[in-house]
Amino acid sequence: MPGPDVVRAKDLPERVRIYEVGPRDGLQNEPTVVPAATKAELIRRLAAAGLGTIETTSFVSPRWVPQLADAAEVLALLGPSGTGRDRPVLVPNERGLDRAVAAGVGAIAIFGSATETFAQRNLGRSVAESVAMFRPVVARARDLGLWVRAYVSMCFGDPWEGPVRVEQAADACAALMDLGCDELSLGDTIGVATTGHVVALLDALEGRGLGVERVAVHFHDTYGQALANTMAALRRGVTVVDASAGGLGGCPYAGSATGNLATEDLVWALEGAGVATGVDLDALVATSRWLSAELNRPSPSAVVTALAPTP
Ligand code: HMG
Ligand code: MG
């Protein structure tokens, strides 16, 4: 398959770590439950394509997200992880941590909200009550030597509350990072961010001692801004980017959320700019093509469509 012409963009970092979220953010939103064996095959293929960090599944309530109720089964099918940090999983509460630890995970992600409405809809509690729920989870995870990421959803806008002020998002980020998390991921759950807003939030976080070396970005592509926003974050010094193979994704508790930034679109852009990702674009596109057939619908990724159009 053709690749982009490579011309080094000197204002971008030399290397970017892609944090692949397709098996979790993508498959949590599928109308049907994908079999555990297909999920495990997807994760194996993504790892073989060079994705070193793959968010594998969620140990949330199966009543809330039945699509990922088979979390333990998927991890059992995969067998022991390589580095222990290569397969993070979402964990909302102590019950979820018990299940994740029993499944042998080495890395977890908690997930809070910048807005009260989404905290209620996604976690059944207020922003402050969610921080209280996460506190013992992070403390015990750290005692166990697990790596911990903190997501903050609705960092830029919320479908019920409208635009979210930078200071409000920064407060939510600081509250979760103060629990002792290793990495922060800024969630644009409904894809409404634009580049100036992204840089303004990164500046505000830096002002609170949360520098870009601890921050990842997580853009959904509802308004086609995910790649532009990612590039703005990379120019501001971020080096960890969340993306989803084939552009799968969405949040079942945020109706207007569509897929994440497609990993293929990100890899094409970075490869062309001479930024190392370690990802084999051909193998990744082949994986998304295979997954499209499994899910019986075309990938929304522009690069997948260009390189491997649906017949
Ligand atoms: P709760 O407070 O226990 O509330 O759960 P509940 O009473 O609704 O609980 C329902 C049932 O689940 C109860 O069982 C609980 O015991 C059980 P029942 O009594 O009915 O038999 N339960 C559990 N079972 C297994 N594992 C668990 C667990 N916890 C409770 N861990 C909770 C509150 C937070 C767990 C629930 O609200 C929940 O699971 N929410 C998760 C929603 C979710 O996964 N959303 C998508 C992920 S977030 C996202 O996509 C955004 C992100 O991508 C970033 C971005 O884009 O912005 C990360
Ligand atoms: Mg998401």
Side-chain angles (χ1 to χ4, degrees):
M1 274 183 243
D5 270 355
V6 179
V7 180
R8 172 83 183 117
K10 295 198 185 71
D11 55 350
L12 292 175
E14 282 178 15
R15 169 165 281 277
V16 161
R17 178 161 70 88
I18 299 181
Y19 183 105
E20 169 64 43
V21 296
R24 193 280 304 170
D25 208 336
L27 299 186
Q28 78 181 8
N29 208 40
E30 278 302 304
T32 55
V33 177
V34 176
T38 309
K39 291 173 177 160
E41 177 67 10
L42 170 64
I43 294 156
R44 274 193 216 101
R45 290 180 70 142
L46 292 171
L51 287 154
T53 310
I54 304 172
E55 197 166 81
T56 312
T57 186
S58 293
F59 286 94
V60 297
S61 165
R63 281 181 193 266
W64 285 64
V65 184
Q67 290 91 334
L68 301 182
D70 57 4
E73 191 185 346
V74 172
L75 290 181
L77 285 169
L78 289 169
S81 90
T83 62
R85 304 217 164 157
D86 49 349
R87 292 189 203 141
V89 297
L90 286 200
V91 166
N93 54 14
E94 293 216 76
R95 171 101 177 265
L97 183 61
D98 291 341
R99 293 173 59 212
V101 169
V105 309
I108 65 162
I110 58 165
F111 50 104
S113 171
T115 66
E116 291 295 342
T117 311
F118 187 65
Q120 287 293 350
R121 287 185 176 250
N122 199 45
L123 299 165
R125 47 202 19 89
S126 69
V127 170
E129 287 163 347
S130 341
V131 175
M133 174 172 74
F134 295 133
R135 181 168 284 110
V137 174
V138 177
R140 187 147 65 89
R142 292 199 65 91
D143 283 348
L144 293 168
L146 306 186
W147 180 86
V148 183
R149 159 182 266 219
Y151 280 104
V152 176
S153 286
M154 306 296 177
C155 276
F156 303 93
D158 171 294
W160 302 279
E161 298 186 18
V164 172
R165 286 180 305 105
V166 162
E167 287 308 318
Q168 179 178 336
D171 283 347
C173 293
L176 290 189
M177 290 303 281
D178 282 350
L179 299 179
C181 302
D182 297 286
E183 182 172 278
L184 169 68
S185 180
L186 303 177
D188 183 17
T189 322
I190 56 166
V192 290
T194 46
T195 55
H197 199 163
V198 171
V199 173
L201 180 54
L202 291 169
D203 287 345
L205 290 170
E206 186 157 74
R208 290 164 180 244
L210 279 166
V212 284
E213 65 288 345
R214 295 165 74 197
V215 179
V217 287
H218 180 105
F219 295 115
H220 286 262
D221 203 27
T222 320
Y223 293 88
Q225 302 300 305
L227 186 56
N229 289 335
T230 297
M231 289 302 177
L234 294 179
R235 287 192 186 94
R236 180 62 184 71
V238 167
T239 58
V240 181
V241 178
D242 298 5
S244 166
L248 290 168
C251 177
Y253 295 101
S256 44
T258 65
N260 291 79
L261 169 63
T263 314
E264 289 85 351
D265 298 9
L266 175 64
V267 171
W268 177 281
L270 294 181
E271 208 171 295
V275 178
T277 63
V279 177
D280 174 343
L281 184 58
D282 288 355
L284 182 57
V285 169
T287 300
S288 287
R289 195 81 174 82
W290 162 81
L291 188 63
S292 283
E294 293 288 324
L295 300 178
N296 203 19
R297 61 183 175 81
S299 159
S301 156
V303 170
V304 172
T305 308
L307 293 181
T310 310

